[in-house]
Amino acid sequence: MSESALPTLNTWVEIPKNSDFTIYNLPFGVFKNKKLSPRIGVAIGDKIVDLSVLDQEGFFSSLFLPEGIFMNDSLNELIALGKAQTKKIRERVQNLLLEENEELKNHSARGKVMVNRKEAEMLLPVKIGDYTDFYSSIEHATNVGKMFRDPENALLPNWKHLPVGYHGRASSIVVSGTPIHRPKGQFKDPDMEKPAFGPSRRLDFELEMAFITGKQTKLGDTVSTGEAEEYIFGMVLFNDWSARDIQAWEYVPLGPFLGKNFGSSISPWVVTLEALEPFRVEGPIQEPEVLDYLKCEKSHSFDINLEVFIQPEGKKASKVCTSNFKHMYWNIAQQLAHHTVNGCNINVGDMMASGTISGSTENSYGSMLELSWKGSKAVPLEDGEERKFIEDGDTVIMKGFAEKDGIRVGFGEVAGQILPAKN
Ligand code: MN
């Protein structure tokens, strides 16, 4: 636990007030623009540090990196260098951006290194090999249990003993800004005699965060909770789009399928665990006691403020949810330990999402399913609009940031617009 205040770092880069991308953050992403082919950069203020140019100019010569490591359309190869190396790269960038460091500040290549973020197009940061979605918020699982099963026994008997999860589809995970067509499928509401087919009428978002694995294991290997963070490179915001009507009809007995795999959206900047370190907090008390392989020596929870906005086409965005990542009952180390306890292997670039992150108050529910309580009440938006679920043309925007002692480390946002179903 780092309870002491962070040392103050000043940078020569102009950082707008409330910027997510401070000198303390320095997340990695993949970008291109009209002139530049895809490459790896680090966000700071309104700029991107083009790491490929820094490398060409010899700024990383003491690290002996593989040639062209930053001229890549994904972070996988970089992440695969291992945490010791990626930490050094991030520290070197941080050092070059410090007010007192003149190496880059006064270098002739400075203009070429610092790219305007506004003019850049962000790409999917990792080639995602496998994607797993957990179900780790006790508030969310309890709400869903109350709605669909027994309000008196909302949690299923296994829930407090293991982090429930399922294998999702990696191919349909897209970067923020990518529109998603309303999915079509089968549904059968309780009042319907037989199933029908058509565009989903209960399209929803799920407010989640996801971690990206940075180290491979072999089939048969396990990762303990104590080792888990060595295997986690960083985190992104994750919108796990969900078609509730399709999901409700199809999920028995094998779990989520077409109600989920039509698309998930992620934020483009991967915030490292190193940047999140100051925001580590105690997690919730787990009662009953968990089995030994799920016990943790230290806390793996992080205080990250989360917000969801709905913006109807051509209208103002309205905030519909304020939550926090620290609410999660099961933490990232327990999720990874459980995932591998049977010998399931992981690869660099796997993505593991948290499950919907709901808090205990009604304004902290992380899905429309909960906010509208299964569609039984409308959620008011600005301009007299209201929603029970997501309509065509709506853009859903999720934001996340951690803040402490005046230091801010944020994720930017993940935004996605829902287009009408394709014919
Ligand atoms: Mn989910």
Side-chain angles (χ1 to χ4, degrees), residues 212-225:
I212 293 161
T213 53
K215 193 172 164 184
Q216 194 175 37
T217 64
K218 285 203 214 69
L219 195 62
D221 287 350
T222 60
V223 177
S224 70
T225 58

Side-chain angles (χ1 to χ4, degrees), residues 2 21 25 34 64 80 91 145 206 217 247-249 273 282 297 300 302 308 313 320 344 355 360 373 375 386 399 419:
S2 59
F21 304 123
N25 189 352
K34 281 191 185 124
F64 305 102
E91 280 163 14
E206 289 189 336
T217 64
Q247 184 182 357
W249 170 232
L273 284 195
E282 285 301 324
E297 295 267 304
H300 302 279
F302 297 90
V308 185
E313 191 144 40
V320 295
C344 173
S360 54
W373 207 255
E386 56 177 39
K399 299 184 186 188
L419 303 179

Side-chain angles (χ1 to χ4, degrees), residues 131 133-135 140 166 206 208 238 240 242 260 353-356:
Y131 156 54
D133 192 20
F134 286 95
Y135 191 56
H140 174 69
Y166 69 95
E206 289 189 336
E208 304 195 21
F238 193 99
D240 186 20
S242 300
K260 295 280 185 180
S354 57
T356 308

Side-chain angles (χ1 to χ4, degrees), residues 75-83 86 126 212-214 233 348:
L75 298 177
N76 294 51
E77 211 183 310
L78 172 69
I79 295 173
L81 294 178
K83 257 200 187 196
T86 54
V126 277
I212 293 161
T213 53
F233 174 72
V348 172

